[in-house]
Amino acid sequence: EAAAFKPTILQCLDDDPDERPPIEQVSQTLKDLKINQEMADEWINLIINFGSRDQMIQMKMSATLEQLYKMVIEKQNNSRIRFEDMRMAFGGENLERTKETLEECGMYDNARIIVHMRMSGGSQYIQGRKIGKTVKVTNEIDVVTEDDDTPTMQLPCGHAMTPESLAYWIKDQVDSRKTEIRCYKCHQKWGLSQLKDMGLTTDEKKTMELGLTENLLHHKYKCKECPRCGLYIEKIGSGYRIMCPMCDNYEFCWNCLREWKAPGSGYKDCGNLNCSKYDVQQLLQSCGTATMGYSNISGVPDIRLCPACGEGIQYNEGFKHMVCSGCSHEFCFVCLKKWPCAGNSSDYNKKCVVAPRQTVKPSD
């Protein structure tokens, strides 16, 4: 309507003034165009029918049929309803996945759309899970549960499991840091391609694939992830200082996975507190001293370990009362006794004896 009307107005400018349409007619047509645009942005309710079940969704009149299909799929909590299998019909016509808008299809508020599914003949289901047509369904006993009341699938090695048992066994293997899936009974290795049609959900397949890969990287190749970008890195050599090739000049410690804080310290000492027992010991012996605020006690090592859990604490300013961020233990930073060290929690100014430098982690 807009495309047809626009050239008409332009042509009128060159026409004879007596032949031009009345200004009232032009104004009314422009108002109609504005109303049509507002209608396109209007939200409507659509009733999506799945047999005996209806579902209500809201969409703009300007939304496309392709967007409608995606919205309906997203609203389903059912991995067996696949995008490629779904078809929808409205007003005696099949709705194709096109850029055509709901308004162009004649949709209106509370319009009813009927869903139908295209399914290949011979689909098999066990425990509500879809089994591939090439998978043999048997009555053999489940080798995991030893249950013979439920149909089972014949696995690549010849043993049988239900889909639920297979999903459980795969999760157990992944959680046990395995890098491959083997039969529960005979330990024959199964390829991932052999398991793809055996009733596993999309999420279970992804968990299996990702879990096996992460186990391979973490436990076989001893990879660690860059603390900044997450890139998997395999360390070679004996040094702990690692530069990530994906992060611009970012170096981190392989041991504690924190940023390398000691640029000139070689490849062993990253400068982070609590990186290793050796580093902690070195820091405790070489750290500076501080004077406590309020109590004016001097010569106190400025790095202490919590007497309760061994968490490292560095003094910056303030009084001698400390609360460990790791275990909430309260103690005196000067004498290392449980707070209040003087018997009165308000005695921040009271003198106490400076405890010597700690030599080992208390929890050791």
Side-chain angles (χ1 to χ4, degrees):
E1 220 175 53
F5 179 72
K6 186 175 181 180
T8 303
I9 295 178
L10 295 178
Q11 290 167 5
C12 286
L13 297 179
D14 297 328
D15 290 343
D16 187 290
D18 296 332
E19 297 180 0
R20 293 177 184 175
I23 189 65
E24 294 81 3
Q25 179 182 343
V26 175
S27 299
Q28 182 60 45
T29 305
L30 291 174
K31 288 179 181 179
D32 292 341
L33 289 173
K34 183 178 180 182
I35 292 172
N36 289 338
Q37 180 61 42
E38 290 174 349
M39 288 178 62
D41 293 332
E42 178 186 356
W43 287 86
I44 60 172
N45 295 312
L46 297 174
I47 302 171
I48 312 299
N49 174 258
F50 289 84
S52 61
R53 179 171 63 89
D54 286 341
Q55 182 178 45
M56 184 79 74
I57 65 172
Q58 282 190 327
M59 297 197 76
K60 282 187 175 183
M61 289 283 279
S62 57
T64 66
L65 292 179
E66 186 177 28
Q67 292 171 330
L68 172 63
Y69 269 92
K70 290 180 179 179
M71 171 72 77
V72 172
I73 286 290
E74 287 173 1
K75 293 289 185 181
Q76 307 310 309
N77 187 23
N78 190 337
S79 60
R80 297 194 301 272
I81 297 180
R82 303 188 305 170
F83 184 83
E84 57 268 27
D85 295 334
M86 178 182 287
R87 298 292 185 272
M88 292 191 286
F90 170 74
E93 294 185 4
N94 189 53
L95 301 178
E96 302 292 341
R97 300 178 183 86
T98 65
K99 300 294 183 182
E100 190 175 6
T101 67
L102 303 186
E103 181 184 16
E104 291 168 340
C105 292
M107 299 283 181
Y108 52 88
D109 195 33
N110 291 321
R112 179 178 290 272
I113 298 172
I114 309 298
V115 172
H116 66 282
M117 305 295 294
R118 296 182 65 185
M119 306 299 292
S120 59
S123 296
Q124 308 177 92
Y125 285 88
I126 301 177
Q127 296 175 324
R129 293 169 177 258
K130 184 178 179 180
I131 311 301
K133 291 185 292 183
T134 59
V135 177
K136 183 178 179 180
V137 177
T138 75
N139 292 318
E140 298 292 328
I141 189 171
D142 186 324
V143 295
V144 176
T145 64
E146 298 184 352
D147 178 20
D148 58 0
D149 293 333
T150 305
T152 53
M153 309 172 296
Q154 187 177 78
L155 298 164
C157 60
H159 288 107
M161 287 187 190
T162 64
E164 295 287 351
S165 292
L166 178 62
Y168 160 79
W169 177 239
I170 289 175
K171 183 178 184 304
D172 178 82
Q173 295 292 279
V174 171
D175 292 344
S176 299
R177 302 182 177 181
K178 297 294 192 295
T179 58
E180 55 192 21
I181 305 299
R182 293 182 176 272
C183 175
Y184 177 86
K185 189 76 172 179
C186 67
H187 309 297
Q188 178 180 319
K189 180 182 175 180
W190 300 330
L192 298 188
S193 61
Q194 296 175 300
L195 302 176
K196 65 178 182 179
D197 294 326
M198 293 198 161
L200 298 175
T201 66
T202 301
D203 288 342
E204 286 168 346
K205 290 177 184 177
K206 289 181 179 179
T207 299
M208 174 178 64
E209 295 163 4
L210 181 60
L212 293 176
T213 302
E214 289 182 340
N215 289 344
L216 176 74
L217 296 175
H218 282 304
H219 306 299
K220 183 174 181 179
Y221 295 109
K222 308 299 181 185
C223 290
K224 292 185 179 181
E225 297 173 50
C226 169
R228 177 173 287 183
C229 71
L231 175 71
Y232 285 99
I233 296 177
E234 179 184 358
K235 184 178 81 70
I236 55 177
S238 59
Y240 294 132
R241 187 174 183 175
I242 304 294
M243 176 177 284
C244 176
M246 297 297 293
C247 299
D248 188 22
N249 296 324
Y250 176 72
E251 293 181 312
F252 68 94
C253 174
W254 184 262
N255 193 36
C256 68
L257 295 180
R258 288 177 285 180
E259 185 174 4
W260 196 273
K261 291 187 177 179
S265 63
Y267 296 94
K268 291 289 186 181
D269 183 7
C270 68
N272 287 299
L273 188 61
N274 288 353
C275 178
S276 70
K277 184 176 179 181
Y278 171 77
D279 293 332
V280 171
Q281 181 78 0
Q282 195 174 44
L283 284 170
L284 291 173
Q285 297 304 310
S286 62
C287 69
T289 59
T291 299
M292 299 291 104
Y294 299 96
S295 61
N296 202 33
I297 303 173
S298 61
V300 180
D302 64 4
I303 293 179
R304 296 286 206 185
L305 301 181
C306 171
C309 71
E311 179 79 12
I313 301 173
Q314 187 165 22
Y315 177 84
N316 290 319
E317 60 181 0
F319 34 72
K320 61 182 184 176
H321 176 214
M322 289 290 167
V323 179
C324 176
S325 61
C327 68
S328 301
H329 176 66
E330 298 183 56
F331 67 99
C332 174
F333 199 79
V334 176
C335 67
L336 298 180
K337 293 180 180 179
K338 185 176 180 180
W339 188 263
C341 61
N344 190 332
S345 60
S346 62
D347 288 340
Y348 296 106
N349 299 330
K350 197 159 186 176
K351 301 286 185 180
C352 59
V353 178
V354 178
R357 291 177 180 269
Q358 294 162 292
T359 56
V360 291
K361 196 172 180 180
S363 58
D364 291 345

